[in-house]
Amino acid sequence: MTVADRWLLPDGIEEILPGKARSAEKLRRDILDLFDRWGYQLVIPPHLEFMESLTAGVGHDLDLQIFKVTDQLTGRTLGLRADTTPAVARIDAHALNQDGPVRLCYSGSVFHTRPETLGASRSLIQIGAELYGHSGVASDLEVIALMLETLGRVGAESVNLDLGHVQIYRLLADQAGLTDAQEHELFDALQRKAISEIEQLVNQWDIDKDVAAMLNALPQLAGDIDILDRARAALEKAPKGVQVALDELESIARDISARYQGTGFYLDLGELRGYNYHTGVVFAAYLPDQGQAIAKGGRYDGIGEAFGRSRPATGFSTDLKALLELQAGNVSEQTEELTVFAPLGVDAGTVQSLRQQGQRVVCQLPGQKTEAADMGCNRQLVCRGGKWLVEPIG
């Protein structure tokens, strides 16, 4: 490796420099304070765990995204977490082991072996909240509302909320008597919205014609809240749980629409994101002119079963870096950060007093040639009549 190569970072691995790092930390604290006001308690899971823990309850969805190393003490395989949810589920099920609803939140780096999309980061700062111990639609509503409040902290406007419910497809696949292989083959086609392929698969299998018609209808049942009326008619012969799922989607859409006016809705009954571990409502928030979700989540009941305690759960997460970029583009959210320059000769008591008041003070060092403005200072201490006063620079 040459000297020039030593400062290079791997593709998708970024560092955050002063100024921006300060803004990121301020935003992180702001969001965690918001979570705290909603009753969510902060946990800090380790970045490195045994692979069995990192993938517990989520099938093999995360396995390919995890960086793996060998533990020199035990010889077992360790992994750098690619998602925080399994670790928080372990904390709820095993470390806390409480009855009733438990609200937890977190903020920390996650690492991906591959970017989720072209040009995406592989070192996200994941921040999110999860609610354990309640299976009703009220907890889904709370988490979605908290997600929208979080986006509001960075000035997000015209949020579009995508809603789906994986239980609809699960129940239809079970009613059709699909094998595991058939279920996953059809799932793949649904994710790609390959309508002709879906029809071909359904028609070649020995499936009741009414169930086949409902499976064929799924990718076309997408649109605003009015799509639910058409869905109820198209899925009339589905198991009762499908109608319950449709009622849950309508309840969420109407409640959120009333509380957060201006929020757009797109309901997609063929949306199966996280199908291997999500069990109910799934949701994602999008912003105009952005192709990728800014935040997403859903219900994943039973995720703690692998840790010896099955618990209903729902939650959401987002990337702090993405929120920071969103905030930076929102001029109305920007405020001037005051930094005071203390030249040589200022007594330590004056500097200490300003810092105790919460002001940021940078002291000049002997022999220093850097100007105050070059250090990011926009205020300076000036001696007037024997007193040190804070004045604007320039």
Side-chain angles (χ1 to χ4, degrees):
M1 177 180 288
T2 65
V3 173
D5 290 334
R6 290 173 184 162
W7 57 265
L8 294 176
L9 292 172
D11 289 343
I13 306 296
E14 308 88 16
E15 58 197 356
I16 305 180
L17 302 179
K20 192 173 182 180
R22 189 164 185 258
S23 297
E25 177 60 16
K26 182 178 179 182
L27 179 59
R28 186 189 72 88
R29 295 178 186 178
D30 186 29
I31 293 174
L32 289 179
D33 285 345
L34 169 68
F35 292 169
D36 185 71
R37 290 193 294 272
W38 282 54
Y40 288 76
Q41 302 176 86
L42 179 66
V43 292
I44 306 177
H47 287 91
L48 196 66
E49 294 193 49
F50 291 120
M51 279 296 299
E52 294 86 349
S53 295
L54 291 175
T55 58
V58 295
H60 297 289
D61 279 11
L62 290 178
D63 187 65
L64 294 178
Q65 283 284 41
I66 297 175
F67 285 98
K68 303 175 180 68
V69 296
T70 300
D71 183 10
Q72 298 301 310
L73 295 180
T74 65
R76 293 172 62 184
T77 302
L78 303 176
L80 284 170
R81 70 180 186 219
D83 183 63
T84 313
T85 293
V88 180
R90 173 181 53 77
I91 290 172
D92 171 72
H94 180 68
L96 296 181
N97 196 25
Q98 297 177 6
D99 294 325
V102 172
R103 295 172 171 85
L104 302 174
C105 63
Y106 56 84
S107 175
S109 296
V110 295
F111 307 93
H112 294 168
T113 56
R114 298 179 178 86
E116 290 188 346
T117 59
L118 185 64
S121 174
R122 294 195 295 156
S123 58
L124 294 76
I125 302 177
Q126 194 178 57
I127 187 166
E130 302 182 3
L131 200 166
Y132 294 88
H134 186 271
S135 59
V137 70
S139 48
D140 292 312
L141 274 168
E142 178 174 310
V143 166
I144 293 172
L146 183 56
M147 179 182 72
L148 294 175
E149 292 283 346
T150 301
L151 296 179
R153 300 305 302 174
V154 293
E157 297 179 349
S158 302
V159 177
N160 287 297
L161 188 63
D162 276 21
L163 287 173
H165 203 301
V166 301
Q167 193 68 4
I168 294 173
Y169 175 65
R170 288 186 191 279
L171 290 171
L172 288 177
D174 184 64
Q175 185 181 21
L178 298 184
T179 65
D180 288 344
Q182 290 172 333
E183 182 178 341
H184 283 89
E185 189 175 3
L186 184 57
F187 159 81
D188 179 66
L190 278 167
Q191 287 299 88
R192 293 183 282 108
K193 303 296 184 185
I195 295 177
S196 60
E197 185 178 338
I198 293 169
E199 292 178 350
Q200 181 180 359
L201 289 173
V202 171
N203 292 337
Q204 75 183 25
W205 295 331
D206 183 19
I207 299 176
D208 178 85
K209 65 176 183 178
D210 290 330
V211 181
M214 291 187 289
L215 288 171
N216 281 323
L218 273 186
Q220 302 175 62
L221 294 175
D224 60 23
I225 192 171
D226 293 334
I227 198 66
L228 293 175
D229 290 333
R230 187 154 65 90
R232 288 190 175 92
L235 305 177
E236 183 181 10
K237 296 183 179 180
K240 182 180 178 181
V242 169
Q243 299 299 326
V244 173
L246 295 175
D247 290 342
E248 289 180 354
L249 289 174
E250 181 173 14
S251 176
I252 290 172
R254 295 198 182 283
D255 188 283
I256 294 297
S257 181
R259 293 165 61 183
Y260 298 92
Q261 296 181 9
T263 300
F265 289 90
Y266 183 80
L267 285 81
D268 186 352
L269 303 193
E271 172 56 63
L272 301 174
R273 184 182 60 253
Y275 179 70
N276 286 335
Y277 71 96
H278 278 303
T279 60
V281 174
V282 290
F283 51 85
Y286 289 85
L287 299 176
D289 302 322
Q290 293 192 17
Q292 302 300 318
I294 188 68
K296 57 187 178 182
R299 176 162 291 281
Y300 34 89
D301 293 345
I303 193 171
E305 184 176 0
F307 302 108
R309 191 164 181 254
S310 179
R311 294 261 281 170
T314 183
F316 84 95
S317 67
T318 182
D319 177 23
L320 187 68
K321 293 181 183 179
L323 294 183
L324 187 64
E325 293 298 324
L326 184 62
Q327 183 184 58
N330 189 336
V331 178
S332 65
E333 286 288 322
Q334 303 304 305
T335 57
E336 184 182 26
E337 295 288 350
L338 302 182
T339 302
V340 180
F341 176 71
L344 292 174
V346 178
D347 63 282
T350 298
V351 172
Q352 183 179 13
S353 176
L354 288 173
R355 287 173 174 165
Q356 288 175 342
Q357 294 171 31
Q359 298 195 49
R360 189 169 185 247
V361 183
V362 178
C363 294
Q364 183 181 24
L365 297 173
Q368 178 179 321
K369 298 180 180 179
T370 312
E371 298 292 333
D374 295 332
M375 295 186 292
C377 299
N378 47 25
R379 299 290 187 274
Q380 62 184 345
L381 281 166
V382 179
C383 189
R384 306 286 188 192
K387 292 185 177 180
W388 287 100
L389 304 175
V390 176
E391 298 182 357
I393 292 178

